[in-house]
Amino acid sequence: MTVSSAPRAFTLSDFDFALPPELIAQHPAPERSGSRLLDGSATAPVDRLFRELPDLLNPGDLLVFNDTQVIKARLFGRKATGGALELLVERVLQNHEVVAHMKVSKKPLVGAVVEMDGGFTAELLGRWPDDDGTLFRFRFSGEPHALMAAHGHVPLPPYIEHGDTAEDERRYQTVFAKHPGAVAAPTAALHFDEALLAALRARGVHMAEVTLHVGAGTFQPVKTENIAEHTMHAEWYRVPEPTIAAIEACRARGARVVAVGTTTVRTLESWAAFGHTEGDTQIFITPGFRFQVVDRLITNFHLPRSTLMMLVSAFAGYERVMALYAHAIAQRYRFFSYGDAMLLQRR
């Protein structure tokens, strides 16, 4: 669902930029809060460390985190013919059923039973959400979350070139993750550790949580030059009552709502735009969008030509964001999921 009234017609090419491949972070910084933070909230960009964040917030400000938990959603198996198959579980349904992306040379027929690594089976029930859907519905022979925890792999993004390791299992997860369901991490939140959270509390910064289960569609490329023709993927979200109360209290004291990550922005602005505290969202935020909740945004650096580049451009201003990205590249910031972060002010 597109919510935009852009003053000018942006095209996909407007959100492109040249990124040296060596700036794509393949591993996290040695310490979560030791990554770099580009402060783009002032007139001129300032290069900082992420652990300096408390100095950039005011007592009474409200940080809102996405508390989703990344599941080990990548599973491998073999068809009865011996051909290799890979599943990326996007969503867990009832009755041991899951919705998944399937990578295979020749798709099995509906009703086929696949032997998965770890000794369980997956029966193909059909496509999802309908007969023309791009995803597939399977029934596992056991409880899906337990099977993924025991036999799955961390679903690292496609631009990370190594297989998942014990380091990835620990670091491609926030320290406050609590609700399993994401197949990609809310990466801006990866920079927070217990020491930084304690420093923020000592500063008088308030905290609240929402949940959005990040889907693999977050990496889906935009294929249409006319961005209005792009169809956004759906992701499940929830805004709990204590968070709504915290936002109201923040407004009452004249403080700022600071979203940690684009997933938090999409959650809060979906709630504000459509009035639902829980459900699926396909909100597509492009320049011209009118933000109702979020005042500041902490975010990592995003893929060229992506919907997330469009979101941050809508938030902080297109020219401002492109200038900040040019600065980040010149200063050799690290990009994408394991990369550095920046702080943006709503325009």
Side-chain angles (χ1 to χ4, degrees):
M1 184 174 295
T2 301
V3 182
S4 176
S5 56
R8 56 164 276 200
F10 285 91
T11 66
L12 180 59
S13 298
D14 289 321
F15 301 95
D16 201 4
F17 60 92
L19 179 67
E22 66 271 16
L23 296 187
I24 300 174
Q26 296 296 315
H27 298 276
E31 297 180 22
R32 290 180 185 266
S33 60
S35 54
R36 297 171 73 188
L37 175 65
L38 176 56
D39 179 7
S41 64
T43 304
V46 181
D47 301 310
R48 299 180 179 271
L49 292 178
F50 200 87
R51 63 172 61 100
E52 298 176 51
L53 179 63
D55 297 333
L56 305 177
L57 301 180
N58 296 330
D61 283 348
L62 176 68
L63 274 176
V64 185
F65 298 94
N66 181 4
D67 62 9
T68 187
Q69 183 180 100
V70 178
I71 55 178
K72 295 165 72 173
R74 181 163 283 121
L75 300 162
F76 298 94
R78 289 195 173 273
K79 299 185 295 181
T81 59
L85 173 143
E86 177 184 330
L87 299 182
L88 180 63
V89 175
E90 179 85 13
R91 188 174 297 203
V92 175
L93 306 176
Q94 296 179 334
N95 303 318
H96 294 180
E97 293 182 12
V98 303
V99 173
H101 302 262
M102 177 167 52
K103 185 185 295 185
V104 66
S105 58
K106 184 178 180 181
K107 291 182 173 59
L109 298 175
V110 172
V113 177
V114 179
E115 293 288 338
M116 304 300 295
D117 292 358
F120 68 99
T121 61
E123 178 187 358
L124 178 59
L125 302 177
R127 291 182 176 267
W128 192 89
D130 51 41
D131 291 343
D132 297 319
T134 58
L135 300 178
F136 296 85
R137 188 163 56 95
F138 286 86
R139 180 184 292 115
F140 286 177
S141 58
E143 200 285 313
H145 284 297
L147 292 173
M148 287 187 286
H151 309 297
H153 295 264
V154 179
L156 294 174
Y159 45 76
I160 292 181
E161 298 172 352
H162 63 267
D164 62 317
T165 65
E167 177 190 48
D168 296 306
E169 188 169 348
R170 181 174 60 90
R171 293 295 301 275
Y172 196 64
Q173 191 81 272
T174 67
V175 297
F176 39 75
K178 64 173 68 169
H179 299 296
V183 300
T187 54
L190 295 177
H191 303 287
F192 290 83
D193 53 28
E194 295 298 344
L196 178 58
L197 292 171
L200 288 162
R201 293 187 189 97
R203 172 73 171 160
V205 174
H206 297 239
M207 300 180 194
E209 298 170 337
V210 296
T211 305
L212 182 138
H213 291 325
V214 193
T218 192
F219 304 115
Q220 178 183 338
V222 179
K223 298 179 180 179
T224 58
E225 186 65 16
N226 179 359
I227 61 176
E229 296 175 358
H230 177 69
T231 300
M232 283 292 287
H233 59 288
E235 293 171 317
W236 183 89
Y237 76 93
R238 184 170 70 91
V239 183
E241 288 298 326
T243 296
I244 295 173
I247 292 170
E248 292 173 350
C250 178
R251 290 283 182 245
R253 60 179 174 264
R256 300 168 298 188
V257 175
V258 184
V260 179
T262 56
T263 62
T264 299
V265 173
R266 295 186 72 235
T267 302
L268 292 175
E269 298 298 337
S270 293
W271 160 62
F274 309 116
H276 304 300
T277 59
E278 182 174 331
D280 280 2
T281 180
Q282 290 181 274
I283 194 169
F284 187 13
I285 297 177
T286 60
F289 180 87
R290 295 184 179 180
F291 293 86
Q292 299 184 62
V293 182
V294 181
D295 301 305
R296 294 183 120 193
L297 169 62
I298 300 166
T299 183
N300 279 22
F301 296 95
H302 303 294
L303 290 162
R305 301 165 68 92
S306 66
T307 60
L308 299 182
M309 278 295 295
M310 299 169 196
L311 185 154
V312 295
S313 297
F315 186 81
Y318 172 77
E319 291 80 8
R320 175 68 169 166
V321 165
M322 298 307 288
L324 288 170
Y325 270 64
H327 175 93
I329 292 170
Q331 297 301 315
R332 313 294 289 177
Y333 276 71
R334 301 166 73 244
F335 274 63
F336 306 161
S337 294
Y338 276 153
D340 298 313
M342 64 177 172
L343 174 65
L344 297 174
Q345 178 75 34
R346 189 177 71 192
R347 60 175 299 172

